[in-house]
């Protein structure tokens, strides 16, 4: 069992989620957007975010994977489960738990753009900007994280620790 160190408490995450929900509610008030969660990592953030929204919303999910059992991105994104509904003409808001290298989102943007939505924006709870390898336009972000491996609040290490209510660094105290 690796040592975990608290990076963000559940209360700090709650504050960030509420702020993001206010910003999104303000910007999409009359738009009926489709919130697109990127599984698996975003499931907890998505659930908390939509409970704080003050507007009509529809949700869908895609499942992408690039880390497998590793702590570093393989650089190859696998579309585990694609869309099974049309997004043509829709305003899409991608919901991610974390943007790290940007490779996953870059892949997803290309995939979505081919399906002719009206707009695509990106909301991520966590931004690990120091590790970016591909530039992706982030429209809403909650909290910065340093270049350490993190788990909790949906994020895993070999599928473990997703259930934890806070966000923790693995093996390195910040
Ligand atoms: C994680 C995370 C993001 C992606 C970000 O997913 O949920 O989708 O990596 O990394 P990147 O910016 O370097 O591409 P992962 O591939 O671990 O799958 P999971 O969500 O099922 O855990």
């Amino acid at each position: 069992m690796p040592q975990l160190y608290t990076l963000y408490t559940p209360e700090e995450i709650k504050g960030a989620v509420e702020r993001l929900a206010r910003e999104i509610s303000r910007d999409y008030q009359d738009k009926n957007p489709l919130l697109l969660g990127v599984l698996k990592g975003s499931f907890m953030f998505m659930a908390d975010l939509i409970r704080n929204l003050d507007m009509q919303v529809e949700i869908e999910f895609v499942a992408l994977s690039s880390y497998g059992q590793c702590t570093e991105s393989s650089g190859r994104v696998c579309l585990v489960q694609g869309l099974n509904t049309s997004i043509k003409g829709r305003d899409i808001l991608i919901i991610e738990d974390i943007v790290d290298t940007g490779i996953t989102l870059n892949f997803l943007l290309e995939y979505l753009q081919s399906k002719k939505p009206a707009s695509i924006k990106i909301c991520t709870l966590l931004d690990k900007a120091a590790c970016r390898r591909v530039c992706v336009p982030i429209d809403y972000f909650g909290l910065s994280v340093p270049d350490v491996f993190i788990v909790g609040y949906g994020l895993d290490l070999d599928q473990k620790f997703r259930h934890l209510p806070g966000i923790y660094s693995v093996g390195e105290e910040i």
Side-chain angles (χ1 to χ4, degrees):
M1 165 86 177
Q3 183 78 39
L4 303 184
Y5 299 93
T6 302
L7 199 55
Y8 290 111
T9 65
E11 291 70 30
E12 289 170 322
I13 297 168
K14 183 169 182 279
V17 171
E18 289 172 352
R19 174 178 57 77
L20 288 169
R22 281 195 300 275
E23 293 174 10
I24 292 166
S25 299
R26 176 197 65 204
D27 294 351
Y28 283 92
Q29 196 52 241
D30 303 313
K31 288 194 170 158
N32 188 30
L34 184 66
L35 267 57
L36 184 63
V38 184
L39 295 173
K40 299 176 188 174
S42 71
F43 78 98
M44 200 175 284
F45 174 42
M46 178 86 146
D48 284 345
L49 183 71
I50 64 171
R51 275 181 281 193
N52 283 281
L53 293 175
D54 183 22
M55 62 177 196
Q56 291 297 323
V57 70
E58 294 177 29
I59 65 166
E60 286 289 341
F61 292 94
V62 290
L64 300 172
S65 183
S66 65
Y67 282 71
Q69 296 180 329
C70 307
T71 56
E72 281 187 25
S73 172
S74 66
R76 287 186 308 275
V77 181
C78 175
L79 181 64
V80 179
Q81 184 188 313
L83 282 168
N84 44 33
T85 187
S86 169
I87 61 166
K88 192 172 181 189
R90 298 295 306 269
D91 291 306
I92 305 298
L93 180 59
I94 298 170
I95 307 297
E96 261 286 24
D97 51 330
I98 186 167
V99 184
D100 190 323
T101 63
I103 291 171
T104 300
L105 270 183
N106 190 54
F107 174 93
L108 180 60
L109 285 172
E110 280 184 20
Y111 170 74
L112 295 176
Q113 272 152 3
S114 71
K115 298 181 181 301
K116 311 278 184 231
S119 69
I120 306 176
K121 287 192 175 184
I122 295 170
C123 171
T124 184
L125 176 64
L126 304 170
D127 184 6
K128 196 189 275 187
C131 292
R132 202 74 89 248
R133 283 161 57 188
V134 184
C135 185
V136 286
I138 297 175
D139 300 282
Y140 305 92
F141 98 92
L143 301 163
S144 294
V145 291
D147 182 13
V148 291
F149 198 81
I150 57 173
V151 296
Y153 199 72
L155 288 89
D156 73 307
L157 172 59
D158 195 12
Q159 302 303 324
K160 298 182 184 71
F161 308 119
R162 292 191 197 272
H163 65 291
L164 298 174
I167 292 167
Y168 309 86
S169 64
V170 180
E172 286 180 72
E173 191 163 15
I174 307 302

